[in-house]
Amino acid sequence: MTFRKLKENVYSVGAIDWDRTIFDELIPLPDGTSYNSYLVKGSQKIALIDTVDPKKSDELFENLEDLGINRIDYVISNHAEQDHSGTIPMVLNKFPEAKVITNKKCKNLEKDLLAISDEKFITVEDGETLSLGDKTLKFIFTPWVHWPETMSTYLMEDKIMFTCDFFGSHIASSDLFVDNESKAIEDAKRYYAEIMMPFRAVIRSDLKKVKGFDVDFIAPSHGQVYNHPKLIMDAYEDWISDKVRDKVVIIYASMHGSTKKIVEHLTGSLMKKGVKVKPFNVITADVGEIAMALVDAATVVVASPTVLIGLHPKVAYVVSFANAIKPKVKFMSFVGSYGWGGKAIEQLKGLTPHLSAEIIEPVLIKGFPRTEDFNSLDELAQKISIKHKECEFVKK
Ligand code: FEO
């Protein structure tokens, strides 16, 4: 029995995925994840808010059975992605009288993705309410967290905002509520970096909208419930702002040690100037850690040997990923070694159309770095430090 109570007649009935190690076949999950589904029992109607990944559907049904649920009137679908919607067809099969309550965009996606027939849906508009008797649900459109159809559902009497992916985090825990605030924010940051960051401009209006409600709990569909909503709202406010930190992320690979030596020297030189720096060797690094570091870095430096006349392919992969998640970096540079020439810089520019960063002059070194090359790296560190000091967006 793993259902858990949030408030009177409001339960968490989803599934905990302790063993999941990767999401979207992309981001490692060091702490597993959960697919949260919530049951709201009104005096007249019963609503299920979101479902679970289909491979965990048994857990959802067991929880409903343990709660003695033999009727569901509404399935509220906040998001069409299958880790939340994939079990809806099974719920409709078990409870044929149930209707899916969602917005028009979500309905159309679910008709395509899940083959749910048109008559099973009731569509709602932004701000519309649905009475369950003594409990009332209000639907708040919060698009692009992280698909176009995403919405949140507010349980008015209990002041709970069910936000689906918005404010989510990948953590499997037996604690329903956040029990370790710094860990919760680390997990939420990894989640934000991977899928929310590209939409930070739109998220500003979503966040403003949610802040307009009196909220006791934020109940996302991954991770723990926030019983101090300000914690996660303040974190999002910071992440989506234009402000960055006096910090450099170095993305690198090295084949014979030249690029590693370059990175070591540049790292030390930046540290001497008091600039935070985090080098990531792409061969062993967790891309989730790289994404998190990019959330608030002022500068990214790409460092690569020349391979097949361009960037090391594994560096190119991480650079492509960084471009896709659109971090708010203000400056970018390149350092690397070559034997007889190459097109690494042209390739780097071609791979980063979404990064609106000012380019700081690269340092290209022939072979293993020598004294004059170390001087050039010191000059690059100096330029970065000055740029950070002069930039209005770098937190002082
Ligand atoms: Fe957790 Fe966008 O699905």
Side-chain angles (χ1 to χ4, degrees), residues 287-305:
V287 289
E289 294 281 338
I290 298 176
M292 287 163 75
L294 288 170
V295 166
D296 51 12
T299 296
V300 61
V301 175
V302 176
S304 177

Side-chain angles (χ1 to χ4, degrees), residues 47-297:
L48 183 69
I49 300 180
D50 293 318
T51 66
V52 298
D53 192 293
K55 64 177 184 285
K56 286 281 184 180
S57 56
D58 285 355
E59 284 186 39
L60 171 67
F61 289 115
E62 278 166 25
N63 287 334
L64 294 176
E65 201 174 313
D66 288 345
L67 274 167
I69 297 299
N70 52 21
R71 189 189 95 230
I72 283 180
D73 300 291
Y74 305 119
V75 182
I76 314 300
S77 183
N78 284 321
H79 178 27
E81 196 165 9
Q82 293 90 329
D83 50 330
H84 310 290
S85 67
T87 299
I88 294 177
M90 285 177 255
V91 173
L92 295 178
N93 197 35
K94 193 172 170 65
F95 304 102
E97 73 282 9
K99 293 284 185 190
V100 181
I101 311 290
T102 191
N103 61 70
K104 283 194 193 88
K105 281 183 187 168
C106 192
K107 168 182 154 177
N108 289 334
L109 279 167
E110 287 177 350
K111 282 168 70 178
D112 291 341
L113 295 173
L114 304 169
I116 301 173
S117 56
D118 197 78
E119 70 274 9
K120 285 288 180 186
F121 289 94
I122 297 173
T123 57
V124 292
E125 297 297 330
D126 189 16
E128 205 171 320
T129 57
L130 176 72
S131 174
L132 307 178
D134 59 350
K135 293 187 188 288
T136 315
L137 301 174
K138 189 178 181 84
F139 306 105
I140 319 295
F141 287 13
T142 45
W144 290 109
V145 283
H146 57 129
W147 281 15
E149 87 298 359
T150 48
M151 68 178 199
S152 300
T153 298
Y154 181 59
L155 175 52
M156 295 171 70
E157 292 77 7
D158 294 298
K159 300 180 184 176
I160 304 174
M161 188 68 82
F162 300 95
T163 54
C164 202
D165 280 345
F166 195 17
F167 305 122
S169 58
H170 289 307
I171 180 166
S173 173
S174 58
D175 289 303
L176 175 63
F177 293 101
V178 167
D179 60 325
N180 178 334
E181 292 195 344
S182 58
K183 177 81 175 76
I185 293 303
E186 275 296 287
D187 290 330
K189 191 176 190 183
R190 174 181 287 256
Y191 189 86
Y192 165 85
E194 182 209 350
I195 62 168
M196 297 295 173
M197 190 154 66
F199 310 110
R200 69 187 181 90
V202 188
I203 294 174
R204 283 179 190 161
S205 51
D206 291 337
L207 183 60
K208 197 171 166 194
K209 220 167 172 180
V210 171
K211 279 187 161 182
F213 289 83
D214 185 9
V215 177
D216 279 356
F217 299 165
I218 283 183
S221 290
H222 295 290
Q224 294 170 300
V225 175
Y226 291 88
N227 49 4
H228 301 292
K230 191 173 179 316
L231 177 75
I232 187 67
M233 291 209 219
D234 285 353
Y236 261 72
E237 197 76 70
D238 181 36
W239 298 334
I240 63 176
S241 78
D242 286 329
K243 292 287 182 188
V244 288
R245 286 184 168 71
D246 184 15
K247 183 171 90 176
V248 177
V249 168
I250 304 178
I251 293 167
Y252 81 97
S254 185
M255 296 193 315
H256 300 293
S258 299
T259 304
K260 187 169 177 56
K261 190 74 193 165
I262 291 167
V263 169
E264 283 171 357
H265 189 88
L266 180 62
T267 300
S269 196
L270 287 163
M271 286 169 66
K272 280 180 202 159
K273 294 182 183 347
V275 179
K276 279 186 191 300
V277 55
K278 177 70 180 163
F280 288 100
N281 181 339
V282 298
I283 308 305
T284 51
D286 165 352
V287 289
E289 294 281 338
I290 298 176
M292 287 163 75
L294 288 170
V295 166
D296 51 12

